[in-house]
Amino acid sequence: MLGKLLKYELKATSRVFIPLYIAILVVSIVNGLSLNLEILNIQGLATIVLMCLFISLFVITIVVTIQRFNKNLLKDEGYLMFTLPVSSKYLVLSKYLTSLIWTFLSFVVAFLSFTIIFMIPTYKYFDFSYFINEFNLLFSNISNILGTTILSEFFKIVLLIIISYTIFIFNVYLALSVGQLPIFNRFRNVSSFIGFLVINLLISYAQNIVSLFVNDASVNIEAIDNINYAINSVTSIVSKGLNIAIVINIIIILVLFFATTYILDKKLNLE
């Protein structure tokens, strides 16, 4: 059932994102061609338009994340959504996964955009196979120098970024759900906004408390003469800190998720 909900969400939101992605790629091509032909007027205009499109993409991603949850689950459409033979957990997950997918695709489109701008003026001189070989060689050298431990920490940082974005989304979902409680009927939007700030402060407080325990585990690197031992010590501290941060943030996500679904199941107050 989650797959069907996800398919419906992607189809509904694609009408917003797909035209925007196409516009970004088209303007990127125009920008690249203007660089290749050295048409400065078109290049300047295309650059401004591209920047505006990227800003629009960022804003629209946030707006759609809020709108789809609020409109589909907390307003009139909620009467239909909650009659479906599916739990509120799947409804919330479908909204979240849709937002995460479009965010990922937005980064892909941004990468393609800059690649197009770079490739068009240099395509005559650019050897793609040579670039791939050099990239593989560079990655191999970095792996040999830093070791697999450092690379694993890098992937943990990427995972932590995704988790942090997930916390933001579920923070928004919980704040919107709190705002529709019967006690806040007259001030739903204001209550949701205040709820978002309060929840964010509580999350920051919890994260700060955990960081204090991590800092207590630090070592005096300046007192260590052996450089290899110093690197290993720093790596160990960073690794421990990342592991703790990942675990704590996952717990925060679960709390936000189940608090949201609890309100939807037990305290639902549709407009």
Side-chain angles (χ1 to χ4, degrees), residues 12 26 29 47 54 57 73 96 107 127 141 145 147 193 221 224 241:
V26 169
I29 294 172
T47 301
F54 275 124
L57 180 60
L73 299 184
Y96 159 69
F107 278 104
D127 188 343
N141 289 335
I145 294 172
F193 179 72
I221 302 302
I224 299 175

Side-chain angles (χ1 to χ4, degrees), residues 10 26 61 67 78 148 157 213 245 256:
L10 288 172
V26 169
T61 301
Q67 185 186 51
T148 55
I157 292 173
F213 290 101
L256 295 174

